[in-house]
Amino acid sequence: VTVVDARWLKEQLHDAPEAKNQIAFADVIIINKTDLVKPEELADVERQVRAINAYATIHKTVKSSVALDAVLGKNAFDLDRILDIAPEFLEDVHVHHDETMQSVALTLPGDIDPEKFMPWINEFTQTHGPDILRCKGILAFTNEPKRFVFQGVHMILDGDLQREWREDEKQESRLVFIGRNLKEAEIRKGFAATHESSAEQSAE
């Protein structure tokens, strides 16, 4: 949860780069002090927030007055819930109006070899962690009927097997990285090497 000062956001983004990181990390954003700005200024603040983080829930408040159950215990980073609301969440969102940040979205059909993927994602995030603001994904592992869902912030990763793939779902693996100075070609090459078929292709 991140609180944004509607009156001073523009200055804060200019003078304090960490403010941009906090907005990018957030799953819930409170735009506060809305009584101190004009409607058109508030709309501009919301556009700035959305340019950095397209999917966080936004609450507009005065004196940060918001019900606790609106910001706590929301299971905010539940990919199944998010994908129901915004199916494009794991697609390349293109971070508009912000030249310092970028997103890289990747999709591979078929199965991923977990014995290749886990070492790769761990090594990649440990090496490039400072530049990775968020990463998230849903993966189809070899011989695994359940989807593996994971998220990460910088070098910290968390993931688990969740529900089984539905018959009407396309079984594919999707990842998104959001950050700065992301080496897209390196990411795509590394992810492609975790594909189940890559070992067969190498053998050929």
Side-chain angles (χ1 to χ4, degrees), residues 88-160:
E88 71 279 12
F89 186 65
L90 287 175
E91 296 174 9
D92 194 340
V93 298
H94 296 294
V95 184
H96 300 291
H97 312 302
D98 192 333
E99 297 175 356
T100 68
M101 299 179 69
Q102 65 186 116
S103 69
V104 176
L106 309 95
T107 301
L108 285 178
D111 293 337
I112 295 296
D113 184 346
E115 294 186 4
K116 295 177 183 176
F117 176 79
M118 293 303 190
W120 171 71
I121 193 68
N122 277 300
E123 181 180 356
F124 185 80
T125 53
Q126 291 300 310
T127 303
H128 301 285
D131 291 326
I132 302 171
L133 298 181
R134 295 289 290 267
C135 59
K136 57 222 174 189
I138 295 178
L139 306 172
F141 280 160
T142 307
N143 300 321
E144 175 52 63
K146 294 183 177 181
R147 310 186 317 167
F148 184 83
V149 178
F150 88 98
Q151 62 170 315
V153 175
H154 288 312
M155 291 170 276
I156 302 173
L157 296 174
D158 181 38
D160 198 4

Side-chain angles (χ1 to χ4, degrees), residues 10 15 21 23 31 34 37 39 42 44 49 53 81 89 94 100 110 120 122 125 135 152 171 180 184 186 200:
K10 186 175 182 179
D15 298 333
N21 290 356
I23 293 172
I31 299 179
T34 57
V37 295
L42 180 58
D44 188 53
V49 169
N53 187 329
R81 182 188 65 81
F89 186 65
H94 296 294
T100 68
W120 171 71
N122 277 300
T125 53
C135 59
Q171 197 158 321
R180 296 185 175 90
E184 182 171 349
E186 180 181 341
E200 300 171 6

Side-chain angles (χ1 to χ4, degrees), residues 2 4 9 12-14 16-24 52:
T2 290
V4 169
L9 176 64
Q12 288 172 336
L13 291 177
H14 181 268
E18 63 272 14
K20 193 176 295 182
N21 290 356
Q22 290 178 22
I23 293 172
I52 300 169

Side-chain angles (χ1 to χ4, degrees), residues 63-92:
K63 296 183 179 179
S64 293
S65 179
V66 62
L68 283 179
D69 61 4
V71 295
L72 300 179
K74 302 300 289 183
N75 294 321
F77 202 94
D78 179 333
L79 274 184
D80 279 330
R81 182 188 65 81
I82 291 172
L83 288 171
D84 284 341
I85 298 171
E88 71 279 12
F89 186 65
L90 287 175
E91 296 174 9
D92 194 340

Side-chain angles (χ1 to χ4, degrees), residues 154-203:
H154 288 312
M155 291 170 276
I156 302 173
L157 296 174
D158 181 38
D160 198 4
L161 293 170
Q162 296 192 359
R163 66 167 174 80
E164 293 190 0
W165 291 92
R166 293 193 299 260
E167 290 185 5
D168 61 343
E169 282 183 305
K170 187 176 182 180
Q171 197 158 321
E172 61 184 11
S173 296
R174 292 177 288 166
L175 294 181
V176 168
F177 291 86
I178 300 172
R180 296 185 175 90
N181 306 311
L182 298 179
K183 297 177 173 59
E184 182 171 349
E186 180 181 341
I187 294 172
R188 292 189 180 280
K189 181 179 179 181
F191 185 43
T194 70
H195 197 268
E196 176 66 17
S197 64
S198 63
E200 300 171 6
Q201 292 170 355
S202 297

